[in-house]
Amino acid sequence: MTEARGSDGRPGEHARYAPGTPCWVSLMVHGMAATQEFYAALFGWEFRPGPQQLGPYVRALLDGREVAGIGQLPPDRHLPIAWTPYLASDDAHRTAETARLCGGTIGVGPLDAGEAGRMAIGSDPTGAVFGIWQAARHRGTAVSGMPGTPVWNELVTFESATVAKFYETVFGYEGEPVVSADFDYVTLSVEGRAVAGIHGVGHALPRDRGPHWLTYFEVADTDEALLRLTELGGHVVKPAEDGERGRVATVTDPEGARFCLLQRP
């Protein structure tokens, strides 16, 4: 990935995402207006209409730069409300075919999203949903390293080793397992840079969720963000605690979409 950064390395504006890099996150909900109000108050996002091929859709902006998308679920579709990461591809059709050959499922596409690019939505062999994005005019998340932007994506699944092979084959990741008797984790890297993780939690996986991708959004102060989130109707799943990446909490928005708040050191 090539990107322009300040001398301190953050925030950075993205010019191009290398294949396999998480390049966008999107959320499909029932109540578009209420969801926009929630994230506007939580992250300071503003919104503008995006490609309408799959129904009503808006792009969230920070300082005029795109960071995420929110779309409208059809009234008759009762799908889990969840943030979905899109992984960059130079050829969405080829990536989707490879995913199928490796035991995954492609539920949507590949199809054109206007002049923005080409997309598909699939799931890995355990059922975790992810997107594939072949950029044209829309390259993906335009800025990182500031509050309100996606900072990390992590697959929460039963065990890491088997599903890591799927993602390594489909997207060309280099997988690096954490050597630990009580911690099952694989870091996925592109061109030597860690871009995502796979966390095996065994029977601790929520029964109502199954394996799923979890997006971490950067905040300036996790505890302050948690107070704001609960005032806005969100819920705390795991309270804030200090970890290797910083101070993190797992939360849901009012419709139940699960994500993490991360205050980096």
Side-chain angles (χ1 to χ4, degrees):
M1 178 180 62
T2 57
E3 49 192 346
R5 291 185 178 276
S7 59
D8 63 350
R10 43 190 270 183
E13 280 199 46
H14 296 283
R16 180 187 66 83
Y17 285 91
T21 309
C23 61
W24 187 245
V25 289
S26 193
L27 175 65
M28 301 294 286
V29 298
H30 296 292
M32 285 272 288
T35 298
Q36 289 177 67
E37 288 177 12
F38 171 83
Y39 285 102
L42 183 63
F43 292 141
W45 288 352
E46 297 175 333
F47 299 92
R48 73 170 169 222
Q52 306 292 308
Q53 275 75 11
L54 299 178
Y57 191 84
V58 295
R59 291 178 183 168
L61 310 176
L62 271 177
D63 296 331
R65 293 174 291 186
E66 297 171 347
V67 294
I70 297 174
Q72 175 83 53
L73 273 173
D76 58 339
R77 298 293 294 274
H78 299 286
L79 300 171
I81 308 298
W83 281 102
T84 300
Y86 281 73
L87 310 174
S89 169
D90 286 338
D91 186 331
H93 180 80
R94 188 179 66 225
T95 301
E97 275 302 304
T98 305
R100 284 195 190 99
L101 291 170
C102 293
T105 302
I106 301 299
V108 177
L111 52 82
D112 290 322
E115 297 178 347
R118 194 161 171 78
M119 62 159 286
I121 299 174
S123 56
D124 66 29
T126 70
V129 176
F130 61 91
I132 299 167
W133 183 252
Q134 178 185 339
R137 180 168 290 182
H138 174 63
R139 290 171 174 166
T141 301
V143 64
S144 64
M146 60 187 288
T149 61
V151 69
W152 185 248
N153 286 279
E154 191 169 276
L155 173 61
V156 183
T157 189
F158 296 108
E159 59 89 24
S160 66
T162 304
V163 75
K165 292 176 184 175
F166 169 84
Y167 286 98
E168 288 164 12
T169 304
V170 175
F171 292 102
Y173 295 124
E174 305 132 26
E176 183 180 343
V178 172
V179 180
S180 171
D182 57 356
F183 188 60
D184 179 14
Y185 201 92
V186 172
T187 300
L188 301 176
S189 296
V190 171
E191 298 175 353
R193 177 176 172 267
V195 297
I198 300 177
H199 188 188
V201 298
H203 296 300
L205 196 70
R207 289 186 180 181
D208 61 332
R209 290 273 157 180
H212 60 280
W213 279 92
L214 197 57
T215 297
Y216 288 61
F217 291 97
E218 183 158 343
V219 293
D221 185 316
T222 301
D223 299 285
E224 185 181 293
L226 283 176
L227 286 173
R228 193 179 322 134
L229 175 127
T230 53
E231 289 170 358
L232 294 167
H235 301 279
V236 179
V237 178
K238 291 182 182 176
E241 59 181 11
D242 295 313
E244 185 179 332
R245 297 192 178 278
R247 188 159 179 79
V248 64
T250 305
V251 299
T252 68
D253 67 17
E255 282 206 25
R258 189 172 294 209
F259 60 99
C260 289
L261 303 171
L262 175 65
Q263 174 189 344
R264 294 201 281 181

